[in-house]
Amino acid sequence: MIDRVTAILLISPAPRALADFYRNTLGLPLEDEEHPGVPLHYGCDVGGVHLAIHSSAGFAGVPRRDAQSPVMVLGTSSVRAVAERLSANGVQTIGPTDHGFGLIVSFRDPDGNLVEVLEEYEAANPL
């Protein structure tokens, strides 16, 4: 049975530009990756999950912009700092908003993918 998520792949018509967006706006350490039989793509590990951006060439399906799903949720210890960094880079955001379990700032990346950045509230210490 399934016991973990190993990777999130973003499929893009402009993978280098999308990788640059994530590097510059969120500071993700995406690096060039090449494997036998796989074109150049960009990847890094985030919290034990491999995040990679691949070219849409060779992937089945039609790109869809502004879909509701899937949503990539990234974690942070300071959602307000992330929101400020996104704004400084010209990214339109929604939030931060309180969702009861944490604060979330939402935005669309250049390919139209919905991304949320979550700062979870610390669990109250049990008595």
Side-chain angles (χ1 to χ4, degrees):
M1 299 309 283
I2 305 299
D3 61 4
R4 67 187 184 278
V5 174
T6 60
I8 297 172
L9 306 181
L10 297 178
I11 310 307
S12 175
R16 179 178 299 279
L18 192 60
D20 287 344
F21 170 82
Y22 280 100
R23 283 184 197 117
N24 296 333
T25 61
L26 295 176
L28 290 175
L30 291 157
E31 298 180 356
D32 292 6
E33 293 186 345
E34 287 188 85
H35 311 290
V38 179
L40 173 68
H41 56 284
Y42 311 92
C44 66
D45 288 336
V46 180
V49 176
H50 188 70
L51 173 65
I53 299 172
H54 288 260
S55 171
S56 57
F59 275 86
V62 177
R64 299 183 67 159
R65 294 187 63 82
D66 301 328
Q68 288 182 307
S69 178
V71 178
M72 182 169 61
V73 181
L74 304 170
T76 185
S77 60
S78 178
V79 77
R80 293 188 196 292
V82 172
E84 289 172 10
R85 184 171 178 160
L86 288 165
S87 179
N89 281 280
V91 178
Q92 292 184 339
T93 62
I94 297 173
T97 55
D98 187 333
H99 286 255
F101 54 86
L103 294 174
I104 293 178
V105 63
S106 303
F107 64 95
R108 296 274 177 181
D109 72 16
D111 283 359
N113 298 307
L114 182 54
V115 180
E116 294 183 341
V117 179
L118 166 66
E119 178 183 344
E120 292 181 281
Y121 296 137
E122 292 184 31
N125 289 334
L127 296 176

